[in-house]
Amino acid sequence: MIAMDSLLQDVRYAVRILRKSPVFTLIAAVTVALGIAATTTIFSVVNAVLLKPPPGVRNAGELVRVHRVAEDGSSDNLLSYPNYRDYRDADTGLTDLVAGALMPVAMAGAEESQMVFSFLVSREFFDMVGVRPALGRFFLPEEDQTPGTHLVAVLSHSVWMGRFGGDPSVIGRTVKLNGPEFTVVGVTEARFRGPIAVLDI
């Protein structure tokens, strides 16, 4: 009972102090509100990126990112394509190994070019993550054997809708990416958010 009386006295005292200093009260309330908002935002981002599996990805909990470790202990995830092939063909204990690189490109349009983010991936990427094409197909085995001989592209669902209006005749058309023309062979599912979500696991 004594503890409850003491608590009530403290609350009454705090209320009197806050009434005497309305500016301080306002600043304190705004600070608390901003803190709650920031915490909620950060948790939402962490939950979406780290805790929830990427939408449209099969067996997301089994995916890992491979890093190269140098003799001095430093680590990075930059590998040459020949090194990637050596690791892919070696007995690493991994079921599949794919390569990918983020690259901003200029996609030429009817009037002006637009900068978009592209992702260069080896042909096994879509099979590994279990994504199916919403339209067309994904890459064939022969299309990543020799550089520059099969210029094919798969559009994300959002680019297909935004740049091409969801036109199904986009398959077989060419798009200019940084100058060269690529033949569009497929479109990803709408729920697939792209390789960044997968490779950030």
Side-chain angles (χ1 to χ4, degrees):
M1 193 65 174
I2 295 175
M4 183 61 72
D5 290 340
S6 176
L7 176 62
L8 289 174
Q9 286 176 358
D10 290 342
V11 169
R12 282 194 286 264
Y13 176 74
V15 169
R16 282 198 302 270
I17 294 296
L18 292 175
R19 280 182 180 168
K20 289 180 181 178
S21 306
V23 174
F24 172 77
T25 303
L26 178 64
I27 292 172
V30 169
T31 302
V32 170
L34 289 175
I36 292 172
T39 303
T40 303
T41 302
I42 291 170
F43 176 77
S44 298
V45 172
V46 170
N47 186 46
V49 175
L50 299 178
L51 302 180
K52 283 186 178 178
V57 176
R58 178 188 62 200
N59 300 329
E62 298 177 9
L63 299 179
V64 295
R65 175 181 270 181
V66 176
H67 291 265
R68 182 184 60 161
V69 179
E71 291 183 6
D72 63 0
S74 61
S75 173
D76 63 56
N77 59 352
L78 300 176
L79 293 175
S80 67
Y81 190 73
N83 280 345
Y84 153 71
R85 286 189 306 187
D86 290 342
Y87 286 123
R88 180 193 64 192
D89 298 338
D91 185 12
T92 59
L94 300 172
T95 305
D96 294 299
L97 185 65
V98 301
L102 178 68
M103 185 173 72
V105 297
M107 177 182 281
E111 298 179 358
E112 61 180 19
S113 296
Q114 178 185 6
M115 189 64 68
V116 297
F117 283 100
S118 69
F119 212 85
L120 305 176
V121 294
S122 54
R123 67 171 178 84
E124 305 94 341
F125 176 80
F126 293 108
D127 289 335
M128 183 190 76
V129 298
V131 177
R132 301 176 60 85
L135 197 66
R137 63 171 176 84
F138 291 144
F139 304 125
L140 300 177
E142 62 268 21
E143 289 175 337
D144 75 345
Q145 296 302 308
T146 50
T149 56
H150 295 87
L151 299 182
V152 293
V154 172
L155 301 177
S156 70
H157 196 274
S158 60
V159 168
W160 176 53
M161 295 300 292
R163 294 275 298 186
F164 300 95
D167 183 1
S169 68
V170 71
I171 303 299
R173 287 167 56 182
T174 59
V175 293
K176 283 189 176 182
L177 302 174
N178 280 355
E181 291 188 341
F182 288 73
T183 301
V184 177
V185 296
V187 175
T188 64
E189 298 173 281
R191 63 185 180 139
F192 180 61
R193 299 284 177 82
I196 295 297
V198 175
L199 296 177
D200 275 344
I201 291 176

